[in-house]
Amino acid sequence: MRKERRPRAAPGLACAEHSEGSGSGPLPEPGSAGCRALRREVCSCRGGGWWACCAACRGAAPLIPTMALSWALRLPCRHLRPLSALLRSLPGRDHSLLTEKTAAKQKEKKKPRKGCSLPGSSWEERLANAVTPLWRLPYQEQLQVKYESQRKILQTLASRLKELGVDVQQPDGLCCPLQPVVPSCYEDFIRRSPLDSCILFHEGGHWRELVVRTTSRGHTMAIVTFHPQELGQEALAMQKALLKEFFTCGPGRVCALTSLYFQESTMTRCSHEQSPFQLLHGEPHIFEEVLGLKFRISPDAFFQVNTGGAEVLYQAVGELSQAGGDTVLLDICCGTGTIGLSLAHRVSKVIGIEVVAKAIEDARWNAAFNGISNCEFHGGKAEAVLPQLLSSWEGPQPLVAVVNPSRAGLHYRVVRAIRNCKSIRRLLYISCKPEGEAMRNFLELCCPPNPQKKLSGEPFTPTLVIPFDMFPHTVHCELVLLFTR
């Protein structure tokens, strides 16, 4: 019989169980700098383990709810089978041959890959190398690494455009000027924090993900994703009751949750429509302030993790848009309406489009609460809503479009609608992964007219790019690209 192992606390930290005399250090006191250092983002189960991540730096950080949750529910620890055991279990296989092949491949890897941990590294170092590969570099060097990464992306774009017959190359090989990376607003906060980054890891069959969202107003929302497996409704109800009791009456009450949500999910990610978020405790929403406006946030609504960085980004978007009093702003993939509402005072009208229904409800509430009356928000897929909206556009007012899609980029029909709308002369594309599918969007926006792809409009030209370091200690940037024509 395989023995069940209780969850372990990371060195220097202790769950409620280990702090009773195992020799590990105590948890941060409620309300201490340790507690306040926790910021918004995920603690997700990957490969059966919990990852606690600090949103301010996207590095691992102690996440008290996860640690205490694993202790209170006494979740069993089920280990993945090692590769050798898996090979031995395969019927009809020449195990010695498989082992020899594996060994031969390992010998071929003479040089360690960039960012890989060296033999003998501690688990903390291996985690840091995997999650925050730039953590060893001084912050200014991190910014330089990110800058060079964005340079390569723009060089690739210039090269691809040249292949299409579009000559936009600058003397430095870029398609347009590239400004320095805007530093993270949270860097100073992270440096002052007394806590080191860490990871809490355990395995289970049901508890899949814990997302913790916090705001500058002191609100904390926890969203637990649970795989029901073969459990019946009575067993599920018991787990939800235990979860609520833990966070309201048990050790988890120190987290002072504003909202506690529970979602049953058999997929990597489910929307509210696919599997409703069930409010177990507290308020249905949390609230954040951005640029003097108050925003309501639902559990599945997108909201920038780095709020201070988002304010700087939105201000830059407003300046780059050059929107005047007669301008209509298209806020595509608008989420809770943060960009459109923060720029509403500059323009005559804001039109937002968002696929997440709850986010649209938040956006409309946000507009009404902040007394903003020149905004309208449309729910639905952008590829369905935008072409219909632009096909009937006859207004004399100039259009400025701002798009902020997910890593998957914009649907082709959205790009085509923007490209073929003559009124749109200025486009701001905000991308968290410009080297991915967004690159396809850039090429479609800037290539010569192509009747086969129904791209008849005048091509855009990349004019300026500004990277924003929203995620210190990682290689990632939020890139704002200005396209004009």
Side-chain angles (χ1 to χ4, degrees):
M1 180 183 297
R2 184 172 58 190
K3 293 183 179 180
E4 292 182 352
R5 296 177 60 188
R6 293 179 177 177
R8 294 181 301 170
L13 293 171
C15 63
E17 178 182 18
H18 286 84
S19 63
E20 293 175 356
S22 64
S24 299
L27 289 172
E29 290 296 325
S32 68
C35 288
R36 291 195 299 271
L38 300 179
R39 286 297 180 264
R40 182 192 300 114
E41 198 34 47
V42 290
C43 169
S44 60
C45 183
R46 304 183 190 280
W50 292 88
W51 294 69
C53 296
C54 171
C57 67
R58 284 295 175 95
L63 192 57
I64 299 172
T66 308
M67 184 160 47
L69 176 64
S70 64
W71 165 76
L73 301 181
R74 291 291 194 274
L75 300 179
C77 191
R78 299 172 181 169
H79 296 281
L80 295 174
R81 301 178 67 184
L83 179 59
S84 58
L86 180 61
L87 293 176
R88 286 195 296 272
S89 68
L90 295 175
R93 296 284 184 182
D94 187 341
H95 310 314
S96 61
L97 180 59
L98 287 170
T99 305
E100 290 173 5
K101 287 182 177 179
T102 303
K105 288 183 178 180
Q106 290 176 346
K107 288 182 179 180
E108 290 176 3
K109 300 177 180 179
K110 296 181 180 179
K111 296 182 179 180
R113 292 179 299 168
K114 184 178 180 181
C116 288
S117 300
L118 297 174
S121 300
S122 66
W123 68 267
E124 294 96 337
E125 290 175 320
R126 296 197 301 272
L127 168 68
N129 290 339
V131 180
T132 54
L134 303 183
W135 70 279
R136 296 178 185 272
L137 297 179
Y139 188 57
Q140 290 304 317
E141 291 185 28
Q142 293 183 30
L143 296 179
Q144 186 60 33
V145 170
K146 295 188 178 192
Y147 181 82
E148 293 301 325
S149 175
Q150 308 311 309
R151 275 182 56 86
K152 290 180 180 178
I153 292 171
L154 296 185
Q155 287 172 345
T156 300
L157 179 57
S159 176
R160 296 288 298 275
L161 289 174
K162 189 175 181 180
E163 293 174 2
L164 297 173
V166 181
D167 187 10
V168 294
Q169 207 166 62
Q170 303 288 319
D172 54 2
L174 305 182
C175 60
C176 62
L178 173 64
Q179 292 190 359
V181 180
V182 179
S184 167
C185 298
Y186 282 126
E187 174 63 17
D188 184 58
F189 169 80
I190 295 300
R191 289 187 180 278
R192 291 173 182 269
S193 173
L195 299 176
D196 295 329
S197 60
C198 69
I199 180 173
L200 307 175
F201 185 89
H202 69 83
E203 297 169 356
H206 299 285
W207 303 101
R208 295 211 33 235
E209 184 174 86
L210 173 64
V211 176
V212 178
R213 310 179 79 168
T214 68
T215 72
S216 61
R217 297 172 62 89
H219 299 167
T220 303
M221 176 186 287
I223 308 162
V224 176
T225 306
F226 186 88
H227 196 305
Q229 303 291 4
E230 304 300 325
L231 294 182
Q233 289 302 311
E234 184 176 345
L236 283 170
M238 179 179 294
Q239 294 302 321
K240 287 185 281 188
L242 288 172
L243 191 64
K244 177 181 177 181
E245 180 182 2
F246 166 76
F247 278 112
T248 56
C249 307
R253 68 182 183 276
V254 300
C255 303
L257 295 182
T258 308
S259 309
L260 174 61
Y261 275 96
F262 184 91
Q263 185 186 41
E264 302 167 29
S265 174
T266 58
M267 298 183 287
T268 302
R269 178 173 172 80
C270 286
S271 66
H272 177 77
E273 290 71 30
Q274 293 169 318
S275 181
F277 290 90
Q278 304 169 47
L279 180 63
L280 302 185
H281 167 71
E283 302 297 326
H285 307 94
I286 57 175
F287 297 86
E288 182 61 288
E289 290 185 4
V290 176
L291 297 174
L293 301 176
K294 183 177 180 180
F295 291 90
R296 188 180 85 174
I297 306 171
S298 295
D300 59 340
F302 171 78
F303 202 90
Q304 284 285 358
V305 192
N306 189 333
T307 306
E311 291 186 321
V312 179
L313 188 151
Y314 297 158
Q315 288 173 328
V317 168
E319 293 172 5
L320 293 173
S321 70
Q322 294 185 359
D326 61 341
T327 303
V328 174
L329 178 70
L330 291 175
D331 189 1
I332 303 167
C333 308
C334 66
T336 57
T338 48
I339 296 177
L341 292 173
S342 64
L343 302 182
H345 66 284
R346 295 173 177 252
V347 300
S348 64
K349 186 176 183 180
V350 173
I351 302 175
I353 302 172
E354 171 59 43
V355 66
V356 179
K358 288 294 182 181
I360 283 293
E361 291 180 16
D362 289 343
R364 290 169 178 163
W365 186 95
N366 294 334
F369 180 85
N370 289 286
I372 300 174
S373 58
N374 63 336
C375 296
E376 64 181 51
F377 296 97
H378 301 264
K381 294 182 177 180
E383 58 267 29
V385 177
L386 185 66
Q388 183 178 1
L389 190 152
L390 293 181
S391 64
S392 58
W393 185 263
E394 297 178 353
Q397 302 151 295
L399 284 175
V400 172
V402 177
V403 298
N404 187 15
S406 66
R407 287 174 292 179
L410 294 173
H411 191 280
Y412 173 71
R413 288 202 291 270
V414 176
V415 176
R416 187 173 64 190
I418 294 173
R419 171 77 184 260
N420 294 342
C421 179
K422 297 180 180 179
S423 298
I424 301 177
R425 313 300 298 176
R426 209 168 184 86
L427 167 67
L428 286 149
Y429 195 120
I430 304 171
S431 176
C432 60
K433 192 176 181 182
E435 72 276 15
E437 289 299 309
M439 181 65 70
R440 171 179 53 83
N441 294 158
F442 304 156
L443 295 171
E444 292 166 349
L445 289 166
C446 301
C447 69
N450 188 330
Q452 291 182 338
K453 293 185 176 182
K454 299 181 180 180
L455 296 173
S456 57
E458 179 185 352
F460 284 90
T461 299
T463 305
L464 183 65
V465 175
I466 306 178
F468 289 81
D469 189 13
M470 304 284 280
F471 320 110
H473 307 297
T474 75
V475 297
H476 303 291
C477 271
E478 195 87 357
L479 205 62
V480 177
L481 299 93
L482 171 63
F483 294 93
T484 60
R485 60 179 177 178

